[in-house]
Amino acid sequence: MSLPNCKECGSEFTYEDGTLYVCPECGHEWGKEDAQEADSSPLTKDANGNPLQDGDTVTVIKDLKVKGSSSVVKVGTKVKNIRIVDGDHDIDCKIDGIGAMKLKSQFVKKT
């Protein structure tokens, strides 16, 4: 049985302590009942707290520098047909004029 990731920081190093799960990185504690409810709920949410799914269209809410390039993804850029993935950057997408990118869900809003 694998333990759930931390609900606060996403750490994979959680451990069981009696009836609680504990995160050693941020100190967050939550009950096992909460973890079962979290498994059924969407994990990826936009900046406004709306759940994101594969195929959604989102809008960028902040200018984002493209690593290794001088280009920038401007505020208001629409990104169609996103794909949710695990990891620090939890959205895979293609942006017109830039190409394939990974975005953090905290910098987009669902349209």
Side-chain angles (χ1 to χ4, degrees), residues 15-22 30-32:
Y15 63 91
E16 233 175 313
D17 185 19
T19 60
L20 295 175
Y21 291 120
V22 180
W30 67 101
K32 292 182 180 180

Side-chain angles (χ1 to χ4, degrees), residues 45-48 61 90-91 103-109:
K45 296 183 178 183
D46 70 358
N48 297 330
I61 62 168
D90 44 15
I91 297 174
L103 299 173
K104 290 186 177 186
S105 58
Q106 68 194 37
F107 298 121
V108 300
K109 68 177 182 179

Side-chain angles (χ1 to χ4, degrees), residues 6-86:
C6 177
K7 294 170 28 175
E8 292 294 314
C9 69
S11 171
E12 60 186 26
F13 302 111
T14 57
Y15 63 91
E16 233 175 313
D17 185 19
T19 60
L20 295 175
Y21 291 120
V22 180
C23 175
E25 292 186 5
C26 71
H28 180 68
E29 298 179 351
W30 67 101
K32 292 182 180 180
E33 300 83 30
D34 296 339
Q36 291 171 351
E37 292 172 15
D39 289 342
S40 63
S41 65
L43 297 174
T44 305
K45 296 183 178 183
D46 70 358
N48 297 330
N50 299 318
L52 295 172
Q53 298 177 344
D54 288 348
D56 282 346
T57 299
V58 296
T59 304
V60 177
I61 62 168
K62 177 182 175 184
D63 281 349
L64 302 172
K65 295 180 182 176
V66 178
K67 195 172 190 177
S69 172
S70 62
S71 58
V72 175
V73 178
K74 295 285 186 181
V75 172
T77 302
K78 281 196 175 187
V79 181
K80 298 178 184 177
N81 200 20
I82 65 169
R83 192 172 58 124
I84 307 299
V85 295
D86 290 334

